[in-house]
Amino acid sequence: MQKSPIFKLNQNENSLYIKREDLLPFSFGGNKARKGQKFFDDIDKGAFDVVVTYGSASSNHGRIIANMAKKRDLPCIIISPKEASKETFNSEMMRFLGAKIIVVPVDEVSKTIDDLILELKEEGKNPYFIQGGGHGNLGTQAYVECYEEIKEFEKQKDIFFDYIFLASGTGATQAGLVCGQTINNDKRDIVGISIARPNPRGKEVVLDSIREYLDSLDIEYNEKSLLENTHFTDEYICGGYGKFDLDVERVIENSFKNYGLPLDSTYTGKAFSGMLKFIEKEKIVGKNILFIHTGGTPLYFDYLRESKGDVEND
Ligand SMILES: *Cc1c(COP(=O)(O)O)cnc(C)c1O
């Protein structure tokens, strides 16, 4: 995967920078493109003839995997929860890319995947399974590499980011960044703004990914500093996955108007809004702050199509 650019967004009480993972040059980019590339590097090494994954109708991961599979003419099967099957630009693209979508109630997802893989194997196929969201060590590895890109930028520009903020879902993106921090022994705060999961589970899932990755490479770490380095806040969830409030809407409108920057209401807009509140609450001033735009541009268009555009702006 190519590198994504870092830009300075504004200079108020803090200097705010943004890493545009949404500009990664494949299928509207985003963290799922960076992670997906790792899985397909692995697929390209083997003799796989079908790709199976999990994702809802709004899933950026589903779009990316469908696109990467299509590029190789590999059949792609996506198990999708019935509870989140409303058409979106992402689901339209998955269909356009020829992915086979199997919709089942969410509590049947796990069994459906197991049965499908078994069935494919019985047919003599060699399926490759990718966890929802591109979770797992390969996904984590993708964000260790992203962390190295950030270090490179800092070195070139002679700057140090005191804080890194990002939208945290399954936690693999954050886990990769914290692993990068751990490997480099850097002192800074990486703050995951939960977009759905409450604590303590939310943080625990991030920690599990970190330990799994570091253990797989026999990298030694200090459990205490790992706990200290993993900041996962569930204060800005707005009631759950996909839900948002007026502040999130304002942030989305203002960021597009002022910076031409698309943010969505499920991930990046919610995280950006959460970051601004966190900065205010913690009285953070005079710091260099990096926000990671984790992508999801098609969701911005879903938002536009649905919002009434009646939010008051300053
Ligand atoms: C999936 C996704 C996230 C969350 O990433 P995790 O690695 O699951 O924490 C954040 N932002 C966008 C745009 C996403 O699509």
Side-chain angles (χ1 to χ4, degrees):
M1 189 51 56
Q2 283 100 330
K3 289 172 191 165
S4 75
I6 296 178
F7 301 110
K8 187 164 183 176
L9 205 58
N10 65 39
Q11 174 74 57
N12 294 320
E13 284 139 325
N14 298 287
S15 302
L16 180 60
Y17 291 75
I18 185 161
K19 185 163 173 63
R20 299 284 305 269
E21 292 284 280
D22 59 317
L23 297 182
L24 286 170
F26 188 81
S27 198
F28 298 98
N31 64 347
K32 304 311 184 300
R34 191 185 278 274
K35 293 191 211 179
Q37 185 61 51
K38 286 279 155 211
F39 289 95
F40 276 87
D41 286 348
D42 200 31
I43 289 170
D44 290 344
K45 282 188 234 147
F48 300 99
D49 47 21
V50 53
V51 177
V52 179
T53 194
Y54 166 77
S56 72
S58 63
S59 169
N60 295 309
H61 170 74
R63 175 190 84 251
I64 291 285
I65 299 306
N67 210 156
M68 288 183 172
K70 185 70 198 171
K71 182 179 166 183
R72 292 159 174 83
D73 268 325
L74 279 175
C76 175
I77 306 174
I78 302 172
I79 313 300
S80 205
K82 191 164 173 288
E83 289 78 357
S85 54
K86 191 165 160 265
E87 276 276 288
T88 66
F89 283 111
N90 276 332
S91 65
E92 285 177 43
M93 281 187 271
M94 287 179 233
R95 195 154 23 83
F96 173 76
L97 292 161
K100 182 177 172 192
I101 318 267
I102 300 177
V103 179
V104 296
V106 71
D107 55 3
E108 288 173 27
V109 162
S110 170
K111 186 180 183 316
T112 307
I113 291 171
D114 292 347
D115 290 351
L116 174 68
I117 301 239
L118 221 87
E119 203 178 294
L120 289 166
K121 283 183 177 164
E122 275 166 15
E123 285 170 21
K125 299 257 169 60
N126 191 16
Y128 189 97
F129 177 66
I130 303 173
Q131 280 189 63
H135 201 67
N137 282 345
L138 289 173
T140 305
Q141 170 65 29
Y143 273 84
V144 173
E145 290 171 18
C146 177
Y147 187 86
E148 292 301 333
E149 281 182 30
I150 295 167
K151 297 271 296 175
E152 226 173 278
F153 177 89
E154 289 181 315
K155 208 169 153 195
Q156 272 169 18
K157 305 282 173 182
D158 195 21
I159 184 180
F160 183 80
F161 295 116
D162 305 289
Y163 289 87
I164 298 175
F165 287 89
L166 74 153
S168 212
T170 69
T173 303
Q174 184 178 355
L177 295 169
V178 176
C179 286
Q181 178 188 25
T182 305
I183 291 164
N184 285 283
N185 205 10
D186 288 333
K187 291 264 168 291
R188 68 171 111 226
D189 285 349
I190 299 172
V191 184
I193 308 282
S194 176
I195 53 89
R197 282 182 184 153
N199 278 327
R201 183 171 167 252
K203 176 168 172 164
E204 211 35 68
V205 175
V206 179
L207 286 166
D208 285 345
S209 289
I210 296 170
R211 294 186 192 110
E212 193 186 324
Y213 178 82
L214 295 174
D215 287 343
S216 77
L217 293 176
D218 278 327
I219 295 170
E220 295 212 8
Y221 56 89
N222 178 306
E223 179 66 22
K224 189 166 157 276
S225 54
L226 208 67
L227 287 169
E228 282 167 9
N229 282 341
T230 306
H231 307 281
F232 183 91
T233 172
D234 62 0
E235 273 183 60
Y236 313 104
I237 289 173
C238 303
Y241 184 82
K243 302 219 172 87
F244 53 92
D245 61 14
L246 206 59
D247 291 332
V248 174
E249 292 196 72
R250 281 205 186 94
V251 160
I252 293 173
E253 297 219 357
N254 286 332
S255 72
F256 197 67
K257 285 178 179 167
N258 297 332
Y259 311 116
L261 182 73
L263 298 175
D264 74 89
S265 55
T266 303
Y267 297 104
T268 54
K270 202 165 173 174
F272 201 96
S273 168
M275 171 183 72
L276 295 179
K277 289 179 179 175
F278 186 97
I279 289 170
E280 203 177 303
K281 188 175 159 227
E282 299 291 321
K283 301 189 173 56
I284 297 167
V285 288
K287 300 293 186 193
N288 292 316
I289 297 175
L290 179 69
F291 179 78
I292 301 191
H293 189 314
T294 42
T297 302
L299 301 178
Y300 172 71
F301 292 109
D302 290 322
Y303 173 80
L304 261 191
R305 193 157 59 173
E306 304 216 333
S307 79
K308 294 168 213 80
D310 55 359
V311 177
E312 288 285 331
N313 284 291
D314 40 76

